């Protein structure tokens, strides 16, 4: 059975490499969604394949796509799809979810997203775009330029609040979003309608039900009541790609490893030596600890214990940092400390 499954997968993979009508259907699906979880791509395309009546040969033994097979399908689909969508001014961006250790997305982007970013939207009115822009300024107030004299008075009033100034960059309390809208003369109902539009139509934000424990499982988070004091507005992966240039205008830093904007400041690291910035999950996936800073002119050593300070969303899979053979002794840290009982998942860390 396993041998038959492998043979059928090889045949399926050959089909993935050649652009066909089914690829067009998959593209239509991607254009409607604009964003798809990478782990689901192989299985999704397999379902398209099995449900297509025009294809005579069916692979009855091939029911599921494992992680390695999914990676092969992704590479094959990209080679088949990229030339076609490039002619339409589209391209696929492979982006990681900053809140998770192991979740990634394909986002279908357009060359028009960047000229200028927000004004290309057809589903939002001018005043709605302006309000969203102000919410972004609140969300990234941590990075605001002190020399900027052109600050909206309502925005300045909220930014003087110590609680706001202490907020994490890239996350906005729903209460603060409503408070700013009220200062601009918006009713709560109107603000809620904009949030619904940004969330369910535009797919630029995600509203998560907050909790005292920020590591509450994403599956347990639910849509919020109006003004829920623990509710948090996060940027959707679509927004991170589509309004990237606007984010840089708000002084959002860039990850030195993946060269993409760092949205969530609490899930990032700044090198003390050169001030280079890292996504937490980029460090986890790409660095082997102890590691030297990736900046060419910096010799700062980055310890594995840095990863322990990051509080990712619970995703039921702990990925221990990669460890090299180099021994570094800084601030009392050495390899033997990995077995300490106060370290998270010590049984995985010492395998």
């Amino acid at each position: 059975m396993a041998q038959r499954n492998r043979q059928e997968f090889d045949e399926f993979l050959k089909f993935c490499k050649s652009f066909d009508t089914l690829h067009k259907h998959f593209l239509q699906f991607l254009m409607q969604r604009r964003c798809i979880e990478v782990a689901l791509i192989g299985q999704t395309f397999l379902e398209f394949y099995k449900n297509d009546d025009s294809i005579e040969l069916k692979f009855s033994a091939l029911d599921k796509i494992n992680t390695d097979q999914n990676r092969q399908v992704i590479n094959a689909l990209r080679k088949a799809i990229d030339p076609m969508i490039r002619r339409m001014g589209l391209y696929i961006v492979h982006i990681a979810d900053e809140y998770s250790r192991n979740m990634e997305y394909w986002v279908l982007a357009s060359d028009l997203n960047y000229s200028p970013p927000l004004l290309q939207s057809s589903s939002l009115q001018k005043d709605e775009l302006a309000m969203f822009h102000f919410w972004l300024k609140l969300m990234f107030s941590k990075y605001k330029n002190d020399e900027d004299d052109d600050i909206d008075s309502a925005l300045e009033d909220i930014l003087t609040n110590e609680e706001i100034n202490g907020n994490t960059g890239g996350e906005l309390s729903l209460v603060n979003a409503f408070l700013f809208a009220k200062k601009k003369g918006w009713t709560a109902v109107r603000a809620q309608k904009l949030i619904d539009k940004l969330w369910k139509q535009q797919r630029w934000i995600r509203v998560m039900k907050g909790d005292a424990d920020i590591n509450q499982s994403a599956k347990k988070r639910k849509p919020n009541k109006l003004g829920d004091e623990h509710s948090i507005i996060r940027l959707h992966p679509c927004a991170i790609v589509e309004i990237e240039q606007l984010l840089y205008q708000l002084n959002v830093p860039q990850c030195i490893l993946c060269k993409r904007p760092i949205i969530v400041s609490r899930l990032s690291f700044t090198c003390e030596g050169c001030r280079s910035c890292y996504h937490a999950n980029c460090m986890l996936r790409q660095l082997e600890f102890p590691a030297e800073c990736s900046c060419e002119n910096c010799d700062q050593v980055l310890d594995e214990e840095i990863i322990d300070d990051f509080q990712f969303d619970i995703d039921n899979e702990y990925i221990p940092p990669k460890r090299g053979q180099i021994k570094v002794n800084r601030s009392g840290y050495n390899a033997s400390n990995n077995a300490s009982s106060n370290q998270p998942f010590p049984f995985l860390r010492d395998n």
Side-chain angles (χ1 to χ4, degrees):
M1 185 66 178
Q3 179 66 23
R4 181 184 175 188
N5 189 293
R6 284 195 296 270
Q7 291 176 348
E8 291 195 354
F9 175 75
D10 290 341
E11 291 298 322
F12 174 66
L13 192 61
K14 290 179 182 178
F15 181 85
C16 294
K17 294 178 180 178
S18 302
F19 194 87
D20 191 85
T21 302
L22 191 59
H23 292 72
K24 295 180 181 179
H25 294 164
F26 180 77
L27 266 179
Q28 289 176 341
F29 170 77
L30 185 57
M31 291 174 73
Q32 290 175 346
R33 297 282 299 273
R34 297 188 8 248
C35 179
I36 182 173
E37 188 178 335
V38 166
L40 302 178
I41 291 175
Q43 192 66 37
T44 300
F45 194 75
L46 178 62
E47 294 301 322
F48 270 79
Y49 183 89
K50 288 199 166 189
N51 293 325
D52 194 325
D53 296 332
S54 65
I55 300 176
E56 296 181 0
L57 179 63
K58 299 294 182 182
F59 300 140
S60 57
L62 189 61
D63 294 323
K64 293 184 179 180
I65 300 292
N66 62 37
T67 302
D68 181 63
Q69 291 173 336
N70 185 63
R71 183 164 51 250
Q72 295 180 60
V73 170
I74 287 173
N75 292 335
L77 288 178
R78 286 296 299 267
K79 291 180 180 179
I81 290 175
D82 280 352
M84 173 62 69
I85 63 176
R86 275 295 182 182
R87 291 197 289 268
M88 298 185 291
L90 302 173
Y91 55 96
I92 293 172
V93 177
H94 192 136
I95 185 173
D97 187 335
E98 292 185 35
Y99 291 96
S100 172
R101 299 178 181 89
N102 59 354
M103 186 173 293
E104 301 172 339
Y105 297 94
W106 269 12
V107 177
L108 187 63
S110 166
D111 292 333
L112 295 179
N113 289 333
Y114 304 103
S115 57
L118 288 177
L119 297 182
Q120 297 298 326
S121 172
S122 59
S123 64
L124 299 176
Q125 302 298 320
K126 187 174 181 179
D127 59 339
E128 292 175 329
L129 286 169
M131 180 59 66
F132 176 60
H133 196 170
F134 280 125
W135 282 345
L136 286 177
K137 288 185 176 181
L138 278 176
M139 184 177 287
F140 297 106
S141 60
K142 181 182 182 71
Y143 305 122
K144 72 182 180 71
N145 189 343
D146 294 334
E147 298 178 357
D148 186 4
D149 296 327
D150 186 20
I151 299 180
D152 182 271
S153 58
L155 185 65
E156 189 173 17
D157 288 343
I158 296 180
L159 292 180
T160 56
N161 187 316
E162 293 183 2
E163 183 179 349
I164 300 292
N165 284 327
N167 278 358
T168 297
E171 297 176 313
L172 176 63
S173 164
L174 191 62
V175 169
N176 292 332
F178 277 107
L179 177 61
F180 178 81
K182 182 178 180 180
K183 287 180 176 290
K184 299 297 290 185
W186 282 44
T187 65
V189 173
R190 187 184 181 194
Q192 183 64 55
K193 287 182 178 179
L194 175 57
I195 288 173
D196 291 340
K197 186 181 290 188
L198 289 168
W199 184 6
K200 300 172 183 177
Q201 295 181 27
Q202 193 67 27
R203 302 195 77 183
W204 273 352
I205 66 171
R206 293 184 290 189
V207 184
M208 315 301 290
K209 185 173 179 60
D211 193 81
D213 179 9
I214 63 172
N215 279 334
Q216 182 186 11
S217 170
K219 292 183 178 180
K220 293 182 179 179
R221 291 194 179 98
K222 299 178 180 179
N224 306 283
K225 298 177 182 178
L226 190 67
D228 184 342
E229 62 178 341
H230 296 303
S231 301
I232 298 296
I233 296 177
R234 296 177 174 179
L235 285 187
H236 192 281
C238 287
I240 297 173
V241 171
E242 293 173 1
I243 62 172
E244 182 181 81
Q245 297 306 313
L246 176 59
L247 296 177
Y248 286 135
Q249 292 175 20
L250 296 173
N251 302 314
V252 172
Q254 184 183 69
C255 176
I256 191 174
L257 295 177
C258 71
K259 309 303 181 185
R260 302 207 64 84
I262 294 176
I263 306 301
V264 191
S265 62
R266 66 176 175 83
L267 292 174
S268 68
F269 173 77
T270 302
C271 175
E272 295 179 357
C274 64
R275 310 307 296 172
S276 293
C277 299
Y278 296 80
H279 283 122
N281 54 18
C282 284
M283 297 182 74
L284 183 62
R285 299 174 192 209
Q286 299 187 39
L287 297 184
E288 187 174 271
F289 294 93
E292 289 188 358
C293 178
S294 298
C295 179
E296 294 182 358
N297 301 319
C298 181
D299 58 0
Q300 186 81 14
V301 176
L302 310 179
D303 292 334
E304 175 187 349
E305 60 188 1
I306 293 171
I307 301 296
D308 297 335
D309 295 330
F310 298 128
Q311 294 178 304
F312 295 98
D313 282 356
I314 292 177
D315 49 20
N316 298 320
E317 181 175 355
Y318 179 76
I319 303 175
K322 300 176 184 178
R323 292 188 297 172
Q325 300 300 317
I326 302 174
K327 305 298 181 183
V328 177
N329 191 345
R330 298 173 64 248
S331 303
Y333 172 78
N334 55 58
S336 63
N337 288 342
N338 289 332
S340 173
S341 60
N342 61 6
Q343 293 284 333
F345 302 91
F347 60 94
L348 283 175
R349 300 289 284 278
D350 292 311
N351 284 343

